[in-house]
């Protein structure tokens, strides 16, 4: 369960290792995602809070910015191309759009049947999404904040040691009212979390509450 701390203009949530999180960001508010321990992947989905049929599209986002990585200035877009969130600050450098979310199916295929019953990001998304009336058909390709997925010259993808460090953060500004779903990735079979999932911090800042 997330631990919350509130000030006049900020609401802070400490999300435990392996846990889900969700919130609605009002237009103009900001969400900072802070990697407390370093090398922790944070799987992320977002939806128009007023119409969740309008949701993050990796294809539209990548096509609009002509880059598969997210960093300062990147705009997360719906399938119609409408902006949902803008990356306004990033002290890590780049974030993944291609690696997807771990699941019991992908774990068992990649790492063996003994991993099938390990908790995974898809289960986190389903548990948290159910609170907002979302189901499996509402899950799409997700963002992986802090996850290092390089693309090799032959087009293959790798999941390798992260490029993050303790205290780094990415900050997003809501361009409309946005529902965000987060899975603080529980993966222990590849190095996306350094084989040791750790907590992350979410800080929601109200409009006008910037530094």
């Amino acid at each position: 369960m997330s631990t919350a701390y509130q000030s006049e203009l900020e609401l802070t949530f400490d999300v435990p290792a392996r846990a889900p999180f969700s919130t609605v960001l009002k237009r103009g508010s900001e969400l900072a995602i802070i990697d407390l321990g370093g090398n922790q992947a944070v799987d992320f989905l977002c939806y128009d809070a007023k119409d969740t049929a309008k949701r993050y599209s990796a294809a539209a986002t990548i096509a609009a910015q002509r880059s598969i990585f997210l960093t300062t200035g990147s705009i997360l877009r719906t399938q119609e191309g409408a902006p949902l969130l803008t990356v306004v600050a990033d002290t890590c450098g780049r974030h993944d759009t291609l690696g997807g979310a771990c699941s019991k199916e992908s774990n068992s295929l990649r790492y063996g049947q003994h991993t099938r019953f390990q908790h995974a990001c898809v289960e986190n998304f389903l548990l948290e999404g159910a609170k907002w009336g979302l189901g499996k058909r509402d899950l799409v390709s997700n963002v992986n904040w802090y996850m290092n997925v390089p693309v090799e010259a032959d087009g293959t993808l790798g999941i390798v040691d992260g490029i993050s460090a303790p205290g780094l953060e990415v900050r997003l500004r809501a361009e409309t009212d946005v529902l965000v779903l987060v899975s603080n990735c529980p993966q222990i079979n590849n190095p996306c979390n350094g084989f040791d999932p750790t907590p992350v911090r979410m800080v929601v800042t109200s409009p006008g509450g910037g530094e």
Side-chain angles (χ1 to χ4, degrees), residues 25 34 36 86 89 108 116 123 125 134 139 167 177 194 201 207:
L25 303 175
I34 303 170
L36 296 175
T86 299
S108 59
R116 183 173 180 83
E123 284 69 49
F125 282 144
L134 301 177
L139 302 188
D177 292 354
R201 179 167 292 163

Side-chain angles (χ1 to χ4, degrees), residues 26 35 56 168 174:
K26 295 298 184 180
D35 188 359
Y56 167 74
L168 296 189

Side-chain angles (χ1 to χ4, degrees), residues 156-187:
T156 58
L157 303 178
I159 298 175
V160 299
D161 286 338
I163 58 174
S164 185
L168 296 189
E169 72 172 64
V170 58
R171 184 177 293 267
L172 310 166
R173 181 182 66 228
E175 304 302 344
T176 187
D177 292 354
V178 177
L179 167 64
V180 301
L181 297 184
V182 168
S183 171
N184 191 19
C185 183
Q187 182 60 258

Side-chain angles (χ1 to χ4, degrees), residues 41-44 95-101 142-147 149:
V42 180
D43 290 43
F44 183 95
H95 307 266
D96 169 62
T97 60
L98 301 179
N142 58 284
V143 174
N144 291 306
W145 302 113
Y146 302 109
M147 188 167 163
V149 183

Side-chain angles (χ1 to χ4, degrees), residues 27 55 75 94 96 104 107 110 151 171 182 190-191 209:
R27 180 180 180 181
R55 68 278 305 263
I75 301 172
R94 73 167 194 244
D96 169 62
K104 63 181 181 180
N107 279 345
R110 292 173 177 170
V151 180
R171 184 177 293 267
V182 168
N190 70 50

